[in-house]
Amino acid sequence: MSRILRAGIVQHACTEDRTENLARSEAGIRLAAGKGAKLLLLQELHTSVYFCQYESTRLFDLAETIPGPSTEFFGALAKELELVIVCSLFEKRAPGLYHNTAVVLERDGSIAGKYRKMHIPDDPGYYEKFYFTPGDAGVAGTLGASTAPPAGFVPIVTSVGKLGVLVCWDQWYPEAARLMALAGAELLLYPTAIGANPADATDEQERQREAWITVQRAHAVANGLPVLVANRIGFEPDPTSQTPGAEFWGSSFAAGPQGEFLAQASRDKGEASIVDIDLERSENVRRWWPFLRDRRIDAYGDLVRRFRD
Amino acid sequence: MSRILRAGIVQHACTEDRTENLARSEAGIRLAAGKGAKLLLLQELHTSVYFCQYESTRLFDLAETIPGPSTEFFGALAKELELVIVCSLFEKRAPGLYHNTAVVLERDGSIAGKYRKMHIPDDPGYYEKFYFTPGDAGVAGTLGASTAPPAGFVPIVTSVGKLGVLVCWDQWYPEAARLMALAGAELLLYPTAIGANPADATDEQERQREAWITVQRAHAVANGLPVLVANRIGFEPDPTSQTPGAEFWGSSFAAGPQGEFLAQASRDKGEASIVDIDLERSENVRRWWPFLRDRRIDAYGDLVRRFRD
């Protein structure tokens, strides 16, 4: 018994030219669709360079609404090619209120749902707290209310399954992956934009890349779910020259529910990876390793504390 | 700036002869102490074969009290060799009430603390729910009580640092590692007994071993903490012949706070691995990747639910 979903993961470099970036995403999508992909994952903020390398109010001009230009563009592609597309964009929700948002386009071109990035980083060269308001879905009034409908970290229901879409910095948080799994996600998907500081030693750069791969494979293991990750490639300079810029490390990958690699892209080439995911395998793996059965929910209360001091 | 802790991790095969098993553990401890180790981790249930391969009331005779024979034996060694020892035993707490417990012996021979395994597995050949009552530390009355003292998943304070001691099946749960980190653990330590079913295909056996390594390295990454793991080696037959027995895969290891390997033992040899851990590195790694800063504690409430349905 198996239920195969063929997925595509597209990674590419980005430029200052939005039209060119859209063309690169589209080329990858068409390639994957031609090979039979029914689900397509794009990298984080794929329509622009990673603009968060510095803070400028001018850059809010890059933001767009939902629906808007990106959802129209990728919605039309999803409809034409009859596949589900997970895209990423800089969302303008209201004047002065912006999010880092993943949008899922259904294969009829409609918007299946969106996810606003919940964990927002801020470190030299990644000034996201300036640009992105943290996602607020399901934050108020649901804690401990076991009869309330699930809210926050909720999978998006599509024709290919329930997609646990998270974004970049979220990938370091086992809590986010777990909440998606508990809400019935069948896959975890991470559009991301992460790279090395070229001034760091090579072994430090490699430790960081390995850590990034390891923690996401572990979400697969801990939850018995497949994981798909898309990350951009290419060097992008810091326009302010305050940092040495970012060498985005690509390495987009897919892992099965034991964390096993199903596909791995290069660090530096534009690629559309194709991967066959057996959605029935989670059921089998969870029978062998029934982690959800044994969670000590009676002893996890302090997970909602900042620190146990 | 660095603060180096030299640690030893001992793995060995076990027999039906308790005296022989103690001698093997002692030999590893003396070897590590001779090389300057100040912290020593033993594997899970190292004084016996892994008796949970079948259920028999007779086997409760293997249990012992705390203090008792094991804490006396390892306490004396800890005092003589002036190092902290993390040992594991089958604890008799009261008639009909047994635990799978790790005990930490301070270098003066005293008991620094104990941890009763919280997550208890039960699958063919690992019938632990029959033998072990789940740990109950800090379960009642602490949920959401932010003014209450931390309880459950609490590190053990020793002369070499705050030890986040967990046991085997706990290792699959990011919640356990996170709660230890939030309570100030400086290291995570896992005594464990896990092996392959020899009837499984080789690639399946390897996926399981890799998953086990990956999920524990990820606890290091997600929490910015070093992780030490000890696992037994050797084939142990199932006395009932209901299963093909267990081929314990050793592979004890240490990882730094980015999940990087610091030491890795073989799958099949008795070994005392020696590893130098820089306890200052967690501070540095957490400055680069300040995951604790950005946890969405306002949105994690559903982590105490069994399933979000």
Side-chain angles (χ1 to χ4, degrees), chain A residues 2-50:
Chain A
S2 61
R3 182 161 58 99
I4 302 296
L5 169 62
R6 179 161 289 189
I9 304 172
V10 173
Q11 70 176 29
H12 59 75
C14 287
T15 73
E16 296 280 348
D17 180 351
R18 179 182 167 99
T19 306
E20 170 63 21
N21 296 328
L22 286 171
R24 291 180 186 183
S25 295
E26 178 178 348
I29 292 170
R30 288 191 180 278
L31 196 65
K35 294 181 179 174
K38 297 298 174 197
L39 170 66
L40 198 296
L41 177 64
L42 295 175
Q43 67 207 23
E44 186 185 19
L45 300 172
H46 45 79
T47 64
S48 65
V49 293
Y50 181 72

CSV table of all heavy atoms in Angstrom, one decimal, chain A residues 2-50:
chain,number,residue,atom,x,y,z
A,2,SER,N,0.7,2.1,-1.0
A,2,SER,CA,1.4,3.3,-1.0
A,2,SER,C,0.6,4.4,-1.7
A,2,SER,O,-0.3,4.1,-2.5
A,2,SER,CB,2.8,3.2,-1.7
A,2,SER,OG,2.6,2.8,-3.0
A,3,ARG,N,0.9,5.6,-1.3
A,3,ARG,CA,0.1,6.7,-1.9
A,3,ARG,C,1.2,7.8,-2.3
A,3,ARG,O,1.7,8.5,-1.4
A,3,ARG,CB,-0.9,7.3,-0.9
A,3,ARG,CG,-1.7,8.4,-1.3
A,3,ARG,CD,-3.0,8.5,-0.4
A,3,ARG,NE,-2.6,8.7,1.0
A,3,ARG,CZ,-2.6,9.9,1.6
A,3,ARG,NH1,-2.9,11.0,0.9
A,3,ARG,NH2,-2.3,10.0,2.9
A,4,ILE,N,1.6,7.7,-3.5
A,4,ILE,CA,2.8,8.5,-4.0
A,4,ILE,C,2.4,9.9,-4.4
A,4,ILE,O,1.4,10.1,-5.2
A,4,ILE,CB,3.5,7.8,-5.1
A,4,ILE,CG1,3.9,6.4,-4.7
A,4,ILE,CG2,4.7,8.7,-5.6
A,4,ILE,CD1,4.9,6.4,-3.6
A,5,LEU,N,3.0,10.9,-3.8
A,5,LEU,CA,2.9,12.3,-4.3
A,5,LEU,C,4.2,12.7,-4.9
A,5,LEU,O,5.3,12.7,-4.2
A,5,LEU,CB,2.6,13.2,-3.0
A,5,LEU,CG,2.7,14.7,-3.3
A,5,LEU,CD1,1.7,15.1,-4.3
A,5,LEU,CD2,2.5,15.4,-2.0
A,6,ARG,N,4.2,13.1,-6.1
A,6,ARG,CA,5.4,13.6,-6.7
A,6,ARG,C,5.5,15.1,-6.5
A,6,ARG,O,4.6,15.9,-6.8
A,6,ARG,CB,5.4,13.3,-8.2
A,6,ARG,CG,6.7,13.8,-8.9
A,6,ARG,CD,7.0,13.1,-10.3
A,6,ARG,NE,7.4,11.8,-10.1
A,6,ARG,CZ,7.9,11.0,-11.0
A,6,ARG,NH1,7.9,11.4,-12.3
A,6,ARG,NH2,8.2,9.7,-10.8
A,7,ALA,N,6.6,15.5,-5.9
A,7,ALA,CA,6.8,16.9,-5.5
A,7,ALA,C,8.0,17.5,-6.2
A,7,ALA,O,9.0,16.8,-6.6
A,7,ALA,CB,6.9,17.1,-4.0
A,8,GLY,N,8.0,18.8,-6.4
A,8,GLY,CA,9.2,19.5,-7.0
A,8,GLY,C,9.6,20.6,-6.0
A,8,GLY,O,8.8,21.2,-5.3
A,9,ILE,N,10.9,20.7,-5.9
A,9,ILE,CA,11.5,21.8,-5.0
A,9,ILE,C,12.4,22.6,-5.9
A,9,ILE,O,13.4,22.1,-6.5
A,9,ILE,CB,12.3,21.2,-3.9
A,9,ILE,CG1,11.5,20.2,-3.1
A,9,ILE,CG2,12.9,22.2,-3.0
A,9,ILE,CD1,12.3,19.4,-2.0
A,10,VAL,N,12.1,23.9,-6.0
A,10,VAL,CA,12.9,24.8,-6.9
A,10,VAL,C,13.8,25.7,-6.1
A,10,VAL,O,13.3,26.4,-5.2
A,10,VAL,CB,11.9,25.6,-7.8
A,10,VAL,CG1,12.7,26.6,-8.6
A,10,VAL,CG2,11.1,24.7,-8.7
A,11,GLN,N,15.1,25.7,-6.5
A,11,GLN,CA,16.0,26.7,-5.9
A,11,GLN,C,16.7,27.4,-7.0
A,11,GLN,O,17.0,26.9,-8.0
A,11,GLN,CB,17.0,26.0,-5.0
A,11,GLN,CG,18.1,25.1,-5.7
A,11,GLN,CD,19.2,24.6,-4.7
A,11,GLN,OE1,18.9,24.3,-3.6
A,11,GLN,NE2,20.4,24.3,-5.3
A,12,HIS,N,16.9,28.7,-6.8
A,12,HIS,CA,17.6,29.5,-7.8
A,12,HIS,C,18.2,30.8,-7.1
A,12,HIS,O,17.8,31.2,-6.0
A,12,HIS,CB,16.7,29.9,-8.9
A,12,HIS,CG,15.4,30.7,-8.6
A,12,HIS,ND1,15.4,32.0,-8.3
A,12,HIS,CD2,14.1,30.3,-8.5
A,12,HIS,CE1,14.2,32.4,-8.0
A,12,HIS,NE2,13.4,31.4,-8.1
A,13,ALA,N,19.0,31.4,-7.8
A,13,ALA,CA,19.6,32.7,-7.4
A,13,ALA,C,18.6,33.8,-7.7
A,13,ALA,O,17.7,33.6,-8.5
A,13,ALA,CB,20.9,33.0,-8.1
A,14,CYS,N,18.6,34.9,-7.0
A,14,CYS,CA,17.7,36.0,-7.2
A,14,CYS,C,18.5,37.3,-7.6
A,14,CYS,O,19.7,37.5,-7.2
A,14,CYS,CB,16.9,36.3,-6.0
A,14,CYS,SG,15.6,35.1,-5.8
A,15,THR,N,17.9,38.2,-8.3
A,15,THR,CA,18.5,39.4,-8.7
A,15,THR,C,17.6,40.6,-8.3
A,15,THR,O,16.6,40.4,-7.6
A,15,THR,CB,18.6,39.5,-10.3
A,15,THR,OG1,17.3,39.7,-10.8
A,15,THR,CG2,19.1,38.2,-10.8
A,16,GLU,N,18.0,41.8,-8.6
A,16,GLU,CA,17.2,43.0,-8.3
A,16,GLU,C,16.0,43.1,-9.2
A,16,GLU,O,15.1,43.9,-9.0
A,16,GLU,CB,18.0,44.3,-8.5
A,16,GLU,CG,19.2,44.4,-7.5
A,16,GLU,CD,18.8,44.9,-6.1
A,16,GLU,OE1,17.7,45.3,-6.0
A,16,GLU,OE2,19.7,44.8,-5.2
A,17,ASP,N,15.9,42.3,-10.2
A,17,ASP,CA,14.9,42.3,-11.3
A,17,ASP,C,13.8,41.3,-11.0
A,17,ASP,O,13.9,40.1,-11.1
A,17,ASP,CB,15.5,42.1,-12.6
A,17,ASP,CG,14.5,42.1,-13.8
A,17,ASP,OD1,13.3,42.2,-13.5
A,17,ASP,OD2,15.0,42.1,-14.9
A,18,ARG,N,12.6,41.8,-10.5
A,18,ARG,CA,11.5,41.0,-10.1
A,18,ARG,C,11.0,40.1,-11.3
A,18,ARG,O,10.8,38.9,-11.1
A,18,ARG,CB,10.3,41.8,-9.6
A,18,ARG,CG,9.1,41.0,-9.3
A,18,ARG,CD,7.9,41.9,-8.8
A,18,ARG,NE,6.7,41.1,-8.8
A,18,ARG,CZ,6.2,40.7,-7.6
A,18,ARG,NH1,6.8,40.8,-6.5
A,18,ARG,NH2,5.0,40.0,-7.7
A,19,THR,N,11.0,40.6,-12.5
A,19,THR,CA,10.5,39.9,-13.7
A,19,THR,C,11.5,38.7,-13.9
A,19,THR,O,11.0,37.6,-14.2
A,19,THR,CB,10.5,40.8,-14.9
A,19,THR,OG1,9.7,41.9,-14.6
A,19,THR,CG2,9.9,40.1,-16.1
A,20,GLU,N,12.8,38.9,-13.8
A,20,GLU,CA,13.7,37.9,-14.0
A,20,GLU,C,13.6,36.8,-12.9
A,20,GLU,O,13.6,35.6,-13.2
A,20,GLU,CB,15.2,38.4,-14.0
A,20,GLU,CG,16.3,37.4,-13.9
A,20,GLU,CD,16.3,36.6,-15.2
A,20,GLU,OE1,15.8,37.0,-16.2
A,20,GLU,OE2,16.9,35.4,-15.1
A,21,ASN,N,13.3,37.2,-11.7
A,21,ASN,CA,13.2,36.2,-10.6
A,21,ASN,C,11.9,35.4,-10.8
A,21,ASN,O,11.9,34.1,-10.7
A,21,ASN,CB,13.1,36.9,-9.2
A,21,ASN,CG,14.4,37.7,-8.9
A,21,ASN,OD1,15.4,37.2,-9.3
A,21,ASN,ND2,14.2,38.8,-8.2
A,22,LEU,N,10.8,36.0,-11.3
A,22,LEU,CA,9.6,35.3,-11.6
A,22,LEU,C,9.9,34.3,-12.7
A,22,LEU,O,9.4,33.1,-12.7
A,22,LEU,CB,8.5,36.2,-12.0
A,22,LEU,CG,7.9,37.0,-10.8
A,22,LEU,CD1,6.9,38.1,-11.3
A,22,LEU,CD2,7.1,36.1,-9.8
A,23,ALA,N,10.7,34.7,-13.7
A,23,ALA,CA,10.9,33.8,-14.8
A,23,ALA,C,11.7,32.6,-14.4
A,23,ALA,O,11.5,31.5,-14.8
A,23,ALA,CB,11.7,34.6,-15.9
A,24,ARG,N,12.6,32.8,-13.4
A,24,ARG,CA,13.4,31.6,-12.9
A,24,ARG,C,12.5,30.7,-12.1
A,24,ARG,O,12.7,29.5,-12.3
A,24,ARG,CB,14.6,32.2,-12.0
A,24,ARG,CG,15.6,32.9,-12.8
A,24,ARG,CD,16.8,33.4,-11.9
A,24,ARG,NE,17.7,34.2,-12.7
A,24,ARG,CZ,18.8,34.8,-12.3
A,24,ARG,NH1,19.2,34.6,-11.0
A,24,ARG,NH2,19.6,35.5,-13.0
A,25,SER,N,11.7,31.2,-11.3
A,25,SER,CA,10.7,30.3,-10.6
A,25,SER,C,9.9,29.6,-11.5
A,25,SER,O,9.7,28.4,-11.4
A,25,SER,CB,9.9,31.2,-9.6
A,25,SER,OG,10.6,31.8,-8.6
A,26,GLU,N,9.3,30.3,-12.5
A,26,GLU,CA,8.4,29.7,-13.5
A,26,GLU,C,9.1,28.6,-14.3
A,26,GLU,O,8.6,27.5,-14.5
A,26,GLU,CB,7.9,30.8,-14.5
A,26,GLU,CG,7.0,30.1,-15.5
A,26,GLU,CD,6.4,31.2,-16.5
A,26,GLU,OE1,6.5,32.4,-16.2
A,26,GLU,OE2,5.8,30.8,-17.5
A,27,ALA,N,10.4,28.8,-14.7
A,27,ALA,CA,11.1,27.8,-15.4
A,27,ALA,C,11.2,26.5,-14.6
A,27,ALA,O,11.0,25.4,-15.1
A,27,ALA,CB,12.5,28.3,-15.8
A,28,GLY,N,11.5,26.7,-13.3
A,28,GLY,CA,11.6,25.5,-12.4
A,28,GLY,C,10.3,24.8,-12.3
A,28,GLY,O,10.2,23.6,-12.3
A,29,ILE,N,9.3,25.6,-12.1
A,29,ILE,CA,7.9,25.0,-11.9
A,29,ILE,C,7.5,24.2,-13.2
A,29,ILE,O,7.1,23.1,-13.1
A,29,ILE,CB,6.9,26.1,-11.7
A,29,ILE,CG1,7.2,26.7,-10.3
A,29,ILE,CG2,5.5,25.5,-11.7
A,29,ILE,CD1,6.3,28.0,-10.0
A,30,ARG,N,7.8,24.8,-14.4
A,30,ARG,CA,7.4,24.1,-15.6
A,30,ARG,C,8.2,22.8,-15.8
A,30,ARG,O,7.7,21.8,-16.3
A,30,ARG,CB,7.6,25.0,-16.8
A,30,ARG,CG,6.6,26.2,-16.9
A,30,ARG,CD,6.7,26.9,-18.2
A,30,ARG,NE,5.6,28.0,-18.2
A,30,ARG,CZ,4.3,27.8,-18.5
A,30,ARG,NH1,3.9,26.6,-18.8
A,30,ARG,NH2,3.5,28.8,-18.4
A,31,LEU,N,9.5,22.9,-15.4
A,31,LEU,CA,10.4,21.7,-15.5
A,31,LEU,C,9.8,20.6,-14.6
A,31,LEU,O,9.6,19.4,-15.0
A,31,LEU,CB,11.8,22.1,-15.0
A,31,LEU,CG,12.9,21.1,-15.4
A,31,LEU,CD1,13.1,21.1,-16.9
A,31,LEU,CD2,14.2,21.6,-14.7
A,32,ALA,N,9.5,20.9,-13.4
A,32,ALA,CA,8.9,19.9,-12.4
A,32,ALA,C,7.6,19.4,-12.9
A,32,ALA,O,7.3,18.2,-12.8
A,32,ALA,CB,8.9,20.5,-11.0
A,33,ALA,N,6.8,20.3,-13.4
A,33,ALA,CA,5.4,19.9,-13.8
A,33,ALA,C,5.5,19.0,-15.0
A,33,ALA,O,4.8,18.0,-15.1
A,33,ALA,CB,4.6,21.2,-14.2
A,34,GLY,N,6.5,19.2,-15.9
A,34,GLY,CA,6.7,18.4,-17.0
A,34,GLY,C,7.1,17.0,-16.6
A,34,GLY,O,6.9,16.0,-17.4
A,35,LYS,N,7.7,16.8,-15.4
A,35,LYS,CA,8.1,15.5,-14.9
A,35,LYS,C,7.0,14.9,-14.0
A,35,LYS,O,7.2,14.0,-13.3
A,35,LYS,CB,9.4,15.6,-14.2
A,35,LYS,CG,10.6,16.0,-15.1
A,35,LYS,CD,11.9,16.1,-14.3
A,35,LYS,CE,13.1,16.4,-15.3
A,35,LYS,NZ,14.3,16.6,-14.6
A,36,GLY,N,5.9,15.6,-14.0
A,36,GLY,CA,4.7,15.0,-13.2
A,36,GLY,C,4.5,15.5,-11.8
A,36,GLY,O,3.7,14.9,-11.1
A,37,ALA,N,5.2,16.5,-11.4
A,37,ALA,CA,5.1,17.0,-10.0
A,37,ALA,C,3.7,17.6,-9.8
A,37,ALA,O,3.1,18.3,-10.7
A,37,ALA,CB,6.1,18.1,-9.7
A,38,LYS,N,3.1,17.3,-8.7
A,38,LYS,CA,1.7,17.7,-8.3
A,38,LYS,C,1.8,18.7,-7.2
A,38,LYS,O,0.8,19.3,-6.8
A,38,LYS,CB,0.8,16.6,-7.9
A,38,LYS,CG,0.6,15.6,-9.1
A,38,LYS,CD,-0.1,16.3,-10.2
A,38,LYS,CE,-0.2,15.4,-11.4
A,38,LYS,NZ,-0.6,16.1,-12.7
A,39,LEU,N,3.0,18.9,-6.6
A,39,LEU,CA,3.2,19.9,-5.5
A,39,LEU,C,4.5,20.5,-5.8
A,39,LEU,O,5.5,19.9,-6.1
A,39,LEU,CB,3.2,19.1,-4.2
A,39,LEU,CG,3.7,20.0,-2.9
A,39,LEU,CD1,2.7,21.1,-2.6
A,39,LEU,CD2,3.9,19.1,-1.7
A,40,LEU,N,4.6,21.9,-5.6
A,40,LEU,CA,5.8,22.6,-5.9
A,40,LEU,C,6.1,23.5,-4.8
A,40,LEU,O,5.3,24.4,-4.4
A,40,LEU,CB,5.6,23.3,-7.3
A,40,LEU,CG,6.8,23.8,-8.0
A,40,LEU,CD1,7.6,24.9,-7.2
A,40,LEU,CD2,7.7,22.7,-8.4
A,41,LEU,N,7.3,23.4,-4.3
A,41,LEU,CA,7.8,24.3,-3.2
A,41,LEU,C,8.8,25.3,-3.7
A,41,LEU,O,9.8,24.9,-4.3
A,41,LEU,CB,8.4,23.5,-2.1
A,41,LEU,CG,9.0,24.3,-0.9
A,41,LEU,CD1,7.9,25.1,-0.2
A,41,LEU,CD2,9.7,23.4,0.1
A,42,LEU,N,8.6,26.6,-3.5
A,42,LEU,CA,9.5,27.6,-3.9
A,42,LEU,C,10.3,28.1,-2.6
A,42,LEU,O,9.8,27.9,-1.5
A,42,LEU,CB,8.8,28.8,-4.5
A,42,LEU,CG,8.1,28.6,-5.9
A,42,LEU,CD1,7.4,29.8,-6.4
A,42,LEU,CD2,9.2,28.1,-6.9
A,43,GLN,N,11.4,28.8,-2.8
A,43,GLN,CA,12.2,29.3,-1.7
A,43,GLN,C,11.5,30.5,-1.1
A,43,GLN,O,10.6,31.1,-1.7
A,43,GLN,CB,13.6,29.6,-2.2
A,43,GLN,CG,13.7,30.7,-3.2
A,43,GLN,CD,14.9,30.6,-4.1
A,43,GLN,OE1,15.4,29.5,-4.3
A,43,GLN,NE2,15.3,31.7,-4.7
A,44,GLU,N,12.0,31.0,0.0
A,44,GLU,CA,11.5,32.2,0.7
A,44,GLU,C,11.8,33.4,-0.1
A,44,GLU,O,13.0,33.6,-0.6
A,44,GLU,CB,12.1,32.3,2.1
A,44,GLU,CG,11.6,33.4,3.0
A,44,GLU,CD,12.3,33.5,4.3
A,44,GLU,OE1,13.5,32.9,4.4
A,44,GLU,OE2,11.8,34.1,5.3
A,45,LEU,N,10.8,34.3,-0.2
A,45,LEU,CA,11.0,35.6,-0.8
A,45,LEU,C,11.7,35.6,-2.2
A,45,LEU,O,12.6,36.3,-2.5
A,45,LEU,CB,11.8,36.6,0.2
A,45,LEU,CG,11.1,36.8,1.5
A,45,LEU,CD1,12.1,37.5,2.5
A,45,LEU,CD2,9.8,37.5,1.4
A,46,HIS,N,11.2,34.7,-3.0
A,46,HIS,CA,11.8,34.4,-4.3
A,46,HIS,C,11.7,35.4,-5.4
A,46,HIS,O,12.3,35.3,-6.4
A,46,HIS,CB,11.3,33.0,-4.8
A,46,HIS,CG,9.8,32.9,-4.7
A,46,HIS,ND1,9.0,33.5,-5.6
A,46,HIS,CD2,9.0,32.3,-3.8
A,46,HIS,CE1,7.7,33.2,-5.2
A,46,HIS,NE2,7.7,32.5,-4.1
A,47,THR,N,10.8,36.5,-5.1
A,47,THR,CA,10.7,37.5,-6.1
A,47,THR,C,11.7,38.6,-6.0
A,47,THR,O,11.7,39.6,-6.8
A,47,THR,CB,9.3,38.1,-6.1
A,47,THR,OG1,9.1,38.8,-4.9
A,47,THR,CG2,8.2,37.0,-6.2
A,48,SER,N,12.6,38.6,-5.0
A,48,SER,CA,13.5,39.7,-4.8
A,48,SER,C,14.8,39.1,-4.2
A,48,SER,O,14.9,38.0,-3.8
A,48,SER,CB,12.9,40.7,-3.8
A,48,SER,OG,12.8,40.1,-2.5
A,49,VAL,N,15.8,40.0,-4.2
A,49,VAL,CA,17.0,39.6,-3.4
A,49,VAL,C,16.6,39.6,-2.0
A,49,VAL,O,15.5,40.0,-1.6
A,49,VAL,CB,18.1,40.7,-3.6
A,49,VAL,CG1,18.7,40.7,-5.0
A,49,VAL,CG2,17.6,42.1,-3.2
A,50,TYR,N,17.4,39.0,-1.1
A,50,TYR,CA,17.1,38.9,0.3
A,50,TYR,C,17.3,40.3,0.9
A,50,TYR,O,18.4,40.7,1.3
A,50,TYR,CB,17.9,37.9,1.0
A,50,TYR,CG,17.6,37.8,2.5
A,50,TYR,CD1,16.4,37.2,2.9
A,50,TYR,CD2,18.5,38.3,3.4
A,50,TYR,CE1,16.1,37.2,4.3
A,50,TYR,CE2,18.2,38.3,4.8
A,50,TYR,CZ,17.0,37.7,5.2
A,50,TYR,OH,16.7,37.6,6.5
